[in-house]
């Protein structure tokens, strides 16, 4: 099925470890996004990309890095994991127009990360 | 600045109507959206409304927009236990350089049988 695929679904990291959260979409969307969701805090934008080779910081980029070498993939890298990065991470994508009929975002099912 | 506000919790009985409210601050928002998040899942787009509309109805869902007060609401008629979820209001700006939606914190709807 077409959509946004995130891996892994769950991960436990020790403080100081690094990992990459994978995100892939097969809808040929130009825009891709990484959000983190903390209880009662809604969604905070970490990084976004408007196309291959172009990335930019969102609201909470510290401690994270991204790359966008292809249209399909937008991995999120945590270099030195900290307890404050315990969260649920969502990747999303959208069409360039971002308006109906190509409206809204398509979200992945999320990665639940715990840093201990 | 951009900000979207929602109450955090709403509890209703099965069969009643639910009304989830949202206020936004950016008067240039072109589209406003409602997303639904079921437990353990990502967000799914429920419906949207264009800023030049006052109301949009889609089966059990009614969206009302008051541009003057920057107030958006989502009414769910005949609420069912399957409607229990977190509902997010979001706004977008036409041609916004960031291209991202601004989300509220989400309203957790609990439906009691």
């Amino acid at each position: 099925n077409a959509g946004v695929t995130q891996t892994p679904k769950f991960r436990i990291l020790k403080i100081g470890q690094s990992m990459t959260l994978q995100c892939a979409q097969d809808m040929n969307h130009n825009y891709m996004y990484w959000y983190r969701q903390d209880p009662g805090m809604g969604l905070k934008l970490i990084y976004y990309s408007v196309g291959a080779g172009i990335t930019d910081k969102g609201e909470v980029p510290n401690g994270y890095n991204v790359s966008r070498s292809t249209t399909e993939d937008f991995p999120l890298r945590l270099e030195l994991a900290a307890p404050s990065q315990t969260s649920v991470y969502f990747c999303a994508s959208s069409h360039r127009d971002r308006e109906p009929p190509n409206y809204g975002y398509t979200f992945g099912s999320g990665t639940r990360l715990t840093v201990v | 600045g951009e900000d979207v506000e929602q109450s955090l919790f709403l509890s209703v009985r099965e069969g009643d109507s639910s009304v989830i409210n949202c206020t936004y601050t950016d008067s240039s928002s072109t589209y406003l959206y409602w997303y639904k998040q079921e437990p353990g899942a990502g967000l799914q787009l429920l419906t949207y409304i264009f800023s030049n509309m006052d109301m949009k109805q889609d089966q059990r869902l009614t969206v009302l927009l008051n541009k003057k007060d920057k107030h958006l609401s989502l009414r769910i008629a005949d609420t069912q236990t399957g409607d229990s979820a977190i509902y997010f209001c979001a706004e977008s700006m036409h041609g916004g350089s960031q291209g991202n939606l601004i989300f509220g914190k989400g309203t957790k709807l609990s439906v009691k049988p």
Side-chain angles (χ1 to χ4, degrees):
Chain A
N1 290 337
V4 177
T5 302
Q6 287 185 243
T7 55
K9 292 192 183 303
F10 304 93
R11 184 73 185 267
I12 299 174
L13 277 184
K14 292 185 178 177
I15 294 172
Q17 285 186 319
S18 62
M19 77 163 292
T20 299
L21 282 67
Q22 301 292 344
C23 175
Q25 54 91 10
D26 58 3
M27 297 168 286
N28 203 30
H29 281 170
N30 304 91
Y31 286 75
M32 295 188 76
Y33 316 83
W34 273 106
Y35 287 89
R36 60 177 287 172
Q37 184 181 30
D38 301 306
M41 297 301 293
L43 292 159
K44 301 282 188 185
L45 182 66
I46 305 171
Y47 271 95
Y48 68 99
S49 168
V50 301
I54 306 169
T55 63
D56 210 344
K57 296 177 181 179
E59 186 181 358
V60 290
N62 291 343
Y64 307 95
N65 274 302
V66 293
S67 60
R68 183 98 182 268
S69 56
T70 66
T71 300
E72 294 78 18
D73 300 299
F74 190 41
L76 177 72
R77 179 89 178 155
L78 283 70
E79 290 294 350
L80 291 169
S84 61
Q85 292 178 304
T86 294
S87 188
V88 181
Y89 291 84
F90 288 101
C91 179
S93 70
S94 68
H95 189 275
R96 177 172 56 194
D97 292 339
R98 308 185 307 282
E99 296 174 357
N102 302 307
Y103 55 84
Y105 289 13
T106 301
F107 281 84
S109 57
T111 295
R112 185 175 295 273
L113 176 68
T114 303
V115 181
V116 297
Chain B
E2 304 154 356
D3 202 7
V4 178
E5 298 285 344
Q6 300 178 243
S7 54
L8 293 182
F9 302 99
L10 177 65
S11 180
V12 301
R13 292 210 173 273
E14 192 173 18
D16 288 350
S17 291
S18 308
V19 180
I20 302 170
N21 294 301
C22 169
T23 57
Y24 61 98
T25 56
D26 197 317
S27 58
S28 64
S29 290
T30 307
Y31 290 96
L32 294 132
Y33 302 84
W34 284 104
Y35 283 82
K36 177 183 181 182
Q37 183 183 31
E38 295 182 350
L43 280 69
Q44 287 183 298
L45 180 65
L46 263 185
T47 187
Y48 68 93
I49 188 166
F50 187 44
S51 59
N52 69 351
M53 298 168 66
D54 297 324
M55 185 182 84
K56 179 179 179 182
Q57 189 149 5
D58 184 2
Q59 299 182 329
R60 292 191 297 122
L61 305 178
T62 303
V63 179
L64 294 177
L65 176 61
N66 180 329
K67 278 197 72 176
K68 175 176 170 290
D69 295 337
K70 296 179 190 151
H71 183 266
L72 181 74
S73 68
L74 173 70
R75 179 176 180 269
I76 305 172
D78 187 25
T79 313
Q80 302 298 306
T81 54
D83 294 323
S84 293
I86 301 176
Y87 292 81
F88 291 90
C89 171
E91 62 173 342
S92 70
M93 292 181 292
H94 178 73
S97 59
Q98 283 201 348
N100 60 287
L101 296 179
I102 309 299
F103 288 90
K105 290 183 169 56
T107 299
K108 184 173 184 178
L109 174 64
S110 298
V111 183
K112 300 184 188 312

